[in-house]
């Protein structure tokens, strides 16, 4: 069974981030500009901190590609950290200087971050930088580069993704689950990547107010995948159910505390006859008159739009600081702040798209296989024929 695997490496202020994507069939043509465009989207968003003025994220491929086509070997994607230049001494991989290290050690864990929990896990409580460098959301740049590649595989089969911010802090823009049409209106220059331009001013003002108060904000991202064939995932095995795999991928995004598929939490308030999506005929095809299930039934895609939401907590580095305890001196003290995002919610839609693209490309290859992409194409054709007349590809 062909599976996709993604491994990322690198620290926030190290020389670079690396993504190793293994399992792509050979012969897949990739578009570099499209990967860089996804990376640009991840740097976007009103309320980001000073770091995004330093970085110019773009992809360097150092393995697995030749003449613009995948070789079937691990695809190695790298993104330089331009800020490394300012951190090369602190982050030097080989320099051993215990005195200097003790002087600049980070010892007050930020509530909400992995500082204490990660330090406890790896016996690195003496200097929390050893944890925070890796737990920083900067790592999502590597995921986005790999996700952009996965999206190009999906696009080959007419599968497309859209995502947008549905809520910033207490300010709701779109209630309930997202729809494909509802996400269409997001302009590339939208400061908070929302589908409702009229709400933008209100949201920008909320972020400004949070910045002035030294506060941070979370929010909700909605995403829809269109053109997914029915039958991806498994109803047989708990660890292969696609809703579970999607939830894991979404909850692995830094700051995400909840994930919903389709109507999610709202479905509990409905009675059965309202909750379940009736089968109807539309132009001779099987369709649904609602999509509370969000495109997944029994852990398997059902051919409807796959609709998810991810719920982000506010960033845990606050200018005003938060109560903490200095693990060196044992004294209470506020957390430190140098710079941080007021909200990173504007970056979140493309990160959600990347994780969805990764899970769906994995599920698609699990279904279709193919050492060469031409083999994958033939398997896709055969699948589309088997699924006709109830379902047709989206192209
Ligand atoms: C990020 C870079 C980081 C943070 C942010 C994500 O830059 P720095 O720490 O140098 O300011 O701005 O990480 C967090 C919000 C976090 O809590 O870790 C990026 O490139 O996305």
């Amino acid at each position: 069974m062909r599976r996709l695997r993604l491994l990322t490496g690198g620290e926030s202020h190290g020389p670079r981030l690396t993504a190793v994507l293994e399992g792509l069939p050979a012969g897949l043509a990739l578009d570099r500009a499209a990967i860089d465009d996804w990376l640009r989207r991840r740097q976007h968003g009103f309320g980001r901190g000073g770091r995004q003025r330093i970085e110019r994220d773009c992809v360097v491929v150092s393995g697995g590609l030749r003449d613009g086509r995948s070789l079937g070997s691990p695809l190695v994607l790298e993104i330089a950290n331009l800020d490394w230049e300012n951190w090369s001494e602190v982050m030097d991989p080989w320099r051993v200087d215990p005195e200097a290290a003790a002087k600049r050690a980070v010892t007050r864990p930020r509530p909400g971050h992995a500082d204490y929990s990660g330090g406890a896990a790896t016996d690195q409580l003496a200097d929390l930088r050893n944890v925070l460098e890796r737990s920083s959301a900067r790592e999502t740049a590597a995921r986005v580069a790999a996700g952009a590649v996965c999206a190009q595989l999906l696009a080959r089969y007419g599968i497309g993704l859209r995502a947008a911010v549905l809520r910033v802090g207490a300010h709701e823009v779109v209630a309930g689950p997202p729809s494909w049409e509802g996400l269409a209106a997001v302009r590339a220059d939208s400061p908070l990547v929302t589908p409702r331009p009229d709400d933008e001013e209100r949201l920008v003002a909320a972020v400004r107010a949070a910045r002035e108060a030294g506060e941070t904000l979370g929010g909700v991202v909605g995403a829809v995948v269109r053109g997914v064939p029915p039958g991806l995932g498994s109803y047989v095995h708990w660890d292969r159910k696609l809703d579970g795999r999607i939830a894991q991928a979404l909850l692995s995004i830094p700051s995400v505390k909840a994930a919903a598929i389709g109507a999610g939490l709202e479905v509990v308030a409905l009675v059965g006859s309202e909750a379940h999506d009736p089968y109807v005929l539309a132009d001779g095809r099987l369709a649904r008159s609602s999509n509370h299930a969000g495109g997944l039934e029994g852990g398997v895609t059902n051919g409807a739009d796959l609709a998810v939401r991810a719920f982000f907590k506010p960033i845990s580095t606050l200018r005003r600081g938060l109560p903490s305890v200095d693990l060196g001196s044992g004294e209470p003290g506020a957390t430190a702040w140098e710079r941080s995002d007021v909200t990173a919610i504007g970056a979140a839609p493309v990160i959600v798209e990347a994780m969805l693209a990764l899970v769906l490309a994995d599920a698609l290859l699990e279904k279709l296989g193919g050492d060469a992409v031409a083999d994958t194409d033939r398997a896709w054709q055969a699948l589309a024929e088997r699924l006709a007349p109830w379902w047709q590809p989206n192209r």
Side-chain angles (χ1 to χ4, degrees):
M1 190 195 310
R2 180 163 283 270
R3 296 291 304 260
L4 265 186
R5 290 187 297 171
L6 172 66
L7 195 66
T8 73
E11 274 66 44
S12 179
H13 302 101
R16 68 186 61 81
L17 297 162
T18 303
V20 180
L21 184 63
E22 196 271 332
L24 280 181
L28 178 70
L30 293 181
D31 176 357
R32 176 168 57 176
I35 302 173
D36 285 344
D37 188 53
W38 277 46
L39 289 171
R40 245 191 317 276
R41 285 171 62 206
R42 201 201 68 90
Q43 289 202 265
H44 174 76
F46 187 74
R48 304 301 304 280
R51 180 76 186 270
Q52 302 315 317
R53 285 193 286 278
I54 299 171
E55 302 300 340
R56 294 279 170 275
D57 293 347
C58 59
V59 73
V60 172
V61 178
S62 60
L65 197 74
R66 186 164 181 244
D67 298 330
R69 287 178 192 277
S70 60
L71 293 172
S73 52
L75 184 68
V76 187
L77 309 169
E78 297 182 333
I79 301 143
N81 287 325
L82 300 185
D83 205 15
W84 157 249
E85 186 179 300
N86 307 313
W87 289 81
S88 53
E89 203 180 302
V90 177
M91 293 301 293
D92 187 303
W94 293 111
R95 209 169 84 112
V96 183
D97 185 346
E99 217 170 291
K103 238 186 267 167
R104 59 176 180 236
V106 178
T107 51
R108 291 180 192 177
R110 288 163 293 172
H113 223 287
D115 300 347
Y116 172 73
S117 55
T122 56
D123 195 14
Q124 299 192 96
L125 290 173
D127 188 357
L128 303 174
R129 177 162 302 286
N130 290 331
V131 173
L132 68 87
E133 280 291 334
R134 178 62 188 168
S135 60
S136 163
R138 173 105 191 116
E139 182 263 345
T140 58
R143 301 197 206 185
V144 165
V149 168
C150 294
Q152 291 182 34
L153 175 76
L154 295 175
R156 186 178 180 93
Y157 304 110
I159 301 168
L161 300 116
R162 282 180 184 166
V165 173
L166 306 184
R167 182 189 184 107
V168 180
H171 299 265
E172 189 156 82
V173 184
V174 178
S179 70
W180 182 254
E181 293 73 21
L183 299 180
V186 187
R187 297 190 322 256
D189 62 348
S190 166
L192 283 157
V193 197
T194 68
R196 300 268 290 272
D198 293 350
D199 288 339
E200 210 90 65
E201 225 174 86
R202 176 166 74 96
L203 301 177
V204 166
V207 174
R208 274 211 186 97
R211 176 184 289 148
E212 271 152 38
E215 276 294 353
T216 56
L217 294 173
V220 179
V221 168
V224 176
V225 192
R226 174 157 276 190
V228 185
L232 300 189
S234 171
Y235 62 92
V236 180
H237 299 295
W238 69 269
D239 56 341
R240 289 177 52 202
K241 284 181 177 258
L242 203 67
D243 37 15
R245 286 155 65 179
I246 287 172
Q248 197 278 329
L250 294 178
L251 283 161
S252 78
I253 298 171
S255 294
V256 172
K257 294 301 276 184
I261 291 172
L265 294 182
E266 289 101 328
V267 84
V268 300
L270 305 177
V271 293
S273 60
E274 298 166 328
H276 299 294
D277 309 312
Y279 285 102
V280 292
L281 284 172
D283 302 327
R285 284 197 225 171
L286 203 55
R288 316 301 284 266
S289 54
S290 58
N291 189 19
H292 295 135
L296 279 154
E297 287 169 316
V300 185
T301 57
N302 64 10
D305 286 348
L306 204 135
V308 307
R309 275 169 291 171
F311 299 80
F312 290 75
K313 69 181 176 184
I315 296 230
S316 47
T317 314
L318 275 73
R319 184 166 53 77
R320 60 187 290 175
L322 284 175
S324 186
V325 170
D326 192 304
L327 302 181
S329 68
E331 298 295 321
T335 52
W337 183 86
E338 275 168 42
R339 66 168 178 225
S340 185
D341 306 320
V342 174
T343 182
I345 199 71
V350 73
I351 301 169
V352 168
E353 280 182 53
M355 294 315 289
L356 283 176
L358 179 69
V359 173
L360 284 166
D362 176 38
L364 191 71
L365 288 173
E366 190 177 40
K367 186 86 176 167
L368 303 177
D371 287 338
V373 78
D375 298 337
T376 312
D377 288 350
R378 275 187 286 275
W380 171 263
Q381 222 48 56
L383 177 69
E385 276 162 35
R386 173 163 79 67
L387 291 171
W390 297 120
W391 180 85
Q392 265 131 43
N394 185 32
R395 50 172 189 175

